[in-house]
Amino acid sequence: MNKRTKWAMTVVSLASVALLASCGSTSSKKTEIEFFTQKKETLGITKEIAKDFEKENKDIKVKVVSVPDPSNVLKTRISSKDTPDVVNIYPQNSDFKEWAANHVFEDLTGKSFMNNIKEGVAAQYKINDKLYSAPLDSNAWGFFYNVDAFKKLGIEAPKTWDEFEAVVKDIKEKGKDQSPFALSLAQGDAWSLNGFGQLAWAQADGGFDGAQNALRFSPKGAIKTANPNFQSVIKQLDILKGNGQKGAEGATYNDAIAAFVSGKSLILPQGIWALAAVQQQKPSFEIRSFAYPGKTAEDAMSVGAADMALSISSTSKHKAAAEKFVNYFSTAKVFQKYFDVNGEPTSVKGVKTKGKMPELEGITRLTFTDKQFVWLQSKWTSEIDFHTLTANYARSGNADNFAKELNVFFDSMK
């Protein structure tokens, strides 16, 4: 081998090393962002969307994170200054408002992806005249029911509270080994009765403002068992007592879904987000829904607010990538995929929704009307104890203790 050949081989080797180093460098430059979602029901489609995003953005990896008890995990992470890059968070909640006011999240006012959202929707969640969240859809709360079993028993979805009580009575008398409700009363899943508890107070007190005046803005110690509104609330909660599936007192959210899908419980009191979890288990019957009944058909109500709402950490080291992902998620083409699984009323422009989710129409007919109010906790400093106390009453029926504990919870805010 002469000197010229040796020199040429050395150049080739060095070029190969440089090329490999270059490839390694490209790989190492891949940006990873964390997307923290609190919606386990839609985790599958969320991961699918993240993978699709990665195919179009080969320099970005999206790590989708879903954990048990996400609300408390998120609080802990934010307090320890470990906020995920992109967070699915509920902008109506008091903790979000506090975090936004303290600049935990990026100001999204004027970002191009906010134009993907229908006018006026995001503005509902402004903090100090700025937008810290992109609300892409809205949840709502009501009742799912087993249409086939209802037909077999000769009953129809109730339009009034009196009809609701009659339906429950008929199921107990005519149903064979069937219970009226699929309930999850375990302490860990007490949140699942949050909607029922809030709607009971709203029906008793004439809506959002009345319920707040009875609970949050009344004098300390004002919640008493002798109050007519309190009597009305416990009368409504009593419809659940002893009417759940076997073992309902210790049942989890998943247990309640299973009881409904099995056909052993005919009514599932739950948010519309539960439909995805129900459908995943392939029920053999037709599903429809009805809203929380009032004295008349016109008094039916629902409660809800932004559900898949996205915020970006103000301390993210990858804000450009995070914004790119939020922009992608909020486009009509991408969110259509999410809606087709989730079915919640969406605020994303261009998503086709008409006739696509008949299962939810009994509840969602009230969304974006004055018959659906925003979750009461939007005016509270916390909410978890309210869930627990409502579930405690549904298990025990102890009205005196219920009133006492509600006073302890709300007096701390007064």
Side-chain angles (χ1 to χ4, degrees):
M1 186 180 294
N2 59 36
K3 286 184 179 179
R4 180 172 294 182
T5 304
K6 283 184 178 179
W7 181 83
M9 290 182 66
T10 301
V11 169
V12 170
S13 297
L14 288 173
S16 299
V17 170
L19 179 61
L20 288 171
S22 174
C23 289
S25 176
T26 299
S27 177
S28 65
K29 285 182 179 176
K30 200 165 192 174
T31 299
E32 179 174 293
I33 57 172
E34 179 185 0
F35 175 32
F36 185 97
T37 177
Q38 301 191 66
K39 293 193 58 60
K40 62 182 178 182
E41 297 89 353
T42 54
L43 185 58
I45 186 63
T46 300
K47 286 184 173 179
E48 190 177 318
I49 288 171
K51 288 293 179 191
D52 290 345
F53 173 79
E54 289 174 350
K55 288 176 186 172
E56 294 187 19
N57 299 272
K58 297 192 182 300
D59 57 337
I60 303 174
K61 178 176 175 54
V62 181
K63 181 182 178 184
V64 179
V65 173
S66 172
V67 297
D69 197 9
S71 175
N72 281 324
V73 170
L74 188 60
K75 286 178 184 176
T76 301
R77 290 191 57 177
I78 290 177
S79 66
S80 60
K81 302 188 184 307
D82 182 31
T83 310
D85 300 293
V86 180
V87 186
N88 156 222
I89 200 165
Y90 308 119
Q92 66 277 6
N93 287 359
S94 57
D95 49 8
F96 174 81
K97 293 175 184 175
E98 183 179 343
W99 291 327
N102 286 297
H103 310 293
V104 170
F105 296 110
E106 191 75 355
D107 177 10
L108 304 182
T109 311
K111 298 292 183 186
S112 60
F113 53 77
M114 298 303 284
N115 293 326
N116 296 339
I117 299 169
K118 293 175 184 173
E119 191 173 348
V121 177
Q124 298 177 80
Y125 305 107
K126 276 187 174 179
I127 310 291
N128 299 329
D129 290 328
K130 294 182 178 178
L131 300 172
Y132 294 91
S133 170
L136 306 182
D137 64 11
S138 174
N139 58 40
W141 203 96
F143 302 90
F144 294 101
Y145 69 99
N146 181 328
V147 175
D148 294 359
F150 267 43
K151 285 180 180 175
K152 197 171 181 180
L153 296 177
I155 55 179
E156 296 181 352
K159 295 183 178 64
T160 66
W161 190 265
D162 286 345
E163 289 180 5
F164 193 21
E165 290 183 330
V167 163
V168 170
K169 184 181 177 185
D170 280 347
I171 294 172
K172 292 177 71 173
E173 290 178 356
K174 300 176 183 176
K176 293 181 179 177
D177 300 324
Q178 292 169 319
S179 66
F181 296 109
L183 300 177
S184 41
L185 300 179
Q187 287 288 351
D189 282 334
W191 61 267
S192 64
L193 275 188
N194 186 33
F196 199 112
Q198 295 199 16
L199 284 158
W201 281 97
Q203 284 289 3
D205 291 289
F208 179 88
D209 289 338
Q212 296 290 13
N213 290 336
L215 295 168
R216 171 70 175 83
F217 299 114
S218 56
K220 286 189 176 183
I223 302 170
K224 299 181 184 300
T225 55
N227 291 347
N229 60 346
F230 186 88
Q231 289 295 321
S232 176
V233 169
I234 60 173
K235 181 176 183 294
Q236 293 171 68
L237 291 174
D238 282 345
I239 200 170
L240 301 175
K241 197 166 182 302
N243 289 328
Q245 77 279 20
K246 186 178 180 181
E249 289 75 12
T252 65
Y253 173 65
N254 290 338
D255 293 334
I257 298 288
F260 181 63
V261 172
S262 72
K264 292 180 179 176
S265 298
L266 306 191
I267 303 171
L268 175 67
Q270 195 49 263
I272 58 175
W273 53 79
L275 180 63
V278 171
Q279 298 287 35
Q280 285 167 13
Q281 297 192 32
K282 303 185 184 309
S284 60
F285 52 85
E286 187 179 12
I287 298 169
R288 288 293 183 270
S289 59
F290 60 90
Y292 196 95
K295 287 183 180 178
T296 70
E298 290 72 32
D299 294 330
M301 285 185 182
S302 183
V303 59
D307 204 42
M308 179 49 81
L310 303 179
S311 295
I312 297 173
S313 168
S314 63
T315 56
S316 170
K317 295 178 181 176
H318 310 295
K319 288 181 187 175
E323 285 187 18
K324 206 167 191 177
F325 179 67
V326 173
N327 181 64
Y328 179 82
F329 209 121
S330 65
T331 59
K333 179 183 174 184
V334 174
F335 206 74
Q336 185 75 58
K337 295 180 184 176
Y338 187 85
F339 171 82
D340 287 346
V341 173
N342 177 258
E344 293 185 345
T346 177
S347 55
V348 175
K349 296 175 184 173
V351 175
K352 296 175 182 175
T353 61
K354 190 174 181 180
K356 282 193 169 245
M357 288 290 170
E359 299 92 341
L360 301 178
E361 287 177 358
I363 302 169
T364 57
R365 65 187 175 85
L366 303 180
T367 305
F368 305 133
T369 75
D370 61 359
K371 297 296 183 182
Q372 178 169 312
F373 61 86
V374 174
W375 294 99
L376 295 178
Q377 67 262 25
S378 61
K379 298 286 187 184
W380 303 347
T381 56
S382 62
E383 59 176 301
I384 295 175
D385 283 358
F386 181 80
H387 309 166
T388 304
L389 302 184
T390 303
N392 284 350
Y393 180 76
R395 284 195 304 272
S396 70
N398 188 329
D400 290 335
N401 202 48
F402 187 36
K404 180 181 175 183
E405 291 182 329
L406 283 171
N407 278 318
V408 171
F409 176 60
F410 285 105
D411 282 356
S412 65
M413 304 179 202
K414 297 174 180 174

